[in-house]
Amino acid sequence: MPDVNVHDKTFSPFITADLIQKRVAELGAAIDTDYAGKKPLLIGVLNGSVIFMADLLRHIKSACEIGFIRVSSYHGTESSGKVRNVMGINDDITGRDIIIVEDIVDTGDTAVYLIDEIKKKNPASIKFATILFKPTALRHAIKPDYIGFEIPPAFVVGYGLDYDGLGRNLADIYQLKS
Ligand code: IMP
């Protein structure tokens, strides 16, 4: 596969679409097993989770619902370290089994913030699913429950992940060429 250019930067192929699809199918099957007899509510974090959410959802065979929230926190290729605001959890989620669906957990700031915010609304349970996890960048004692791939701390685009708004539509995941 050739490199791709996004804005001013070049990215090399990293995780193929085939491999991603196989892994997402496994995550869907695991969720099916873990939530047998329940009706989880998957909450996707916009914009990055849209593609992962759409794929994951189609691999969950049992009844489930979805919703989306939005947090703004990240600019360029480095985390600003500031989680600002969450929009969209207006529905009553009391007693629901929640699975937060993210594109990537990097420092973990967003994940911790979201878990805290959602906990305030008294769900029955909260789990966290992410297609990518950068464990070396983590600043909190958390580990996502469903992880697609653990990756080194390189900046990546594709499969929903962007570099300043572009690159989300790439079917494969690419990493920044140093
Ligand atoms: P965290 O709060 O540092 O864990 O960052 C979470 C958010 O940062 C993700 O939802 C992404 O939007 C963004 N992010 C972190 N790493 C990358 C990356 O390598 N590529 C694109 N976006 C990233």
Side-chain angles (χ1 to χ4, degrees):
M1 271 194 317
D3 289 352
V4 295
N5 293 316
V6 180
H7 291 298
D8 55 334
K9 301 205 187 300
T10 305
F11 292 81
S12 329
F14 184 36
I15 307 173
T16 65
D18 270 3
L19 202 57
I20 297 169
Q21 291 306 322
K22 285 192 186 107
R23 186 67 190 126
V24 175
E26 290 171 359
L27 296 180
I31 290 173
D32 253 342
T33 306
D34 295 351
Y35 289 84
K38 296 182 176 171
K39 194 178 66 182
L41 170 61
L42 281 74
I43 299 182
V45 185
L46 293 171
N47 294 325
S49 75
V50 282
I51 295 178
F52 177 38
M53 174 69 118
D55 284 346
L56 183 64
L57 197 59
R58 284 177 286 185
H59 287 291
I60 299 173
K61 305 296 172 216
S62 31
C64 62
E65 291 181 66
I66 64 163
F68 286 95
I69 55 177
R70 189 178 185 121
V71 194
S72 48
S73 66
Y74 208 81
H75 296 282
T77 58
E78 271 179 57
S79 174
S80 64
K82 278 186 203 149
V83 175
R84 283 190 209 111
N85 198 10
V86 59
M87 288 173 287
I89 2 176
N90 305 320
D91 296 341
D92 184 8
I93 58 166
T94 311
R96 298 298 307 267
D97 293 299
I98 305 296
I99 306 174
I100 302 170
V101 179
E102 254 284 30
D103 54 354
I104 189 164
V105 174
D106 184 18
T107 63
D109 288 351
T110 311
V112 164
Y113 175 74
L114 285 176
I115 291 166
D116 284 352
E117 287 300 303
I118 289 174
K119 254 186 200 155
K120 290 180 193 163
K121 298 190 167 273
N122 301 313
S125 67
I126 306 177
K127 285 195 180 181
F128 205 97
T130 183
I131 189 66
L132 298 175
F133 177 42
K134 293 183 189 169
T136 47
L138 200 63
R139 299 201 282 234
H140 303 269
I142 55 150
K143 186 169 187 197
D145 304 279
Y146 303 100
I147 297 170
F149 304 93
E150 287 197 9
I151 61 166
F155 188 81
V156 294
V157 293
Y159 198 68
L161 291 120
D162 73 309
Y163 165 44
D164 279 350
L166 296 183
R168 296 192 197 276
N169 52 326
L170 296 162
D172 308 275
I173 295 174
Y174 293 77
Q175 68 178 336
L176 182 62
K177 224 172 166 170
S178 49

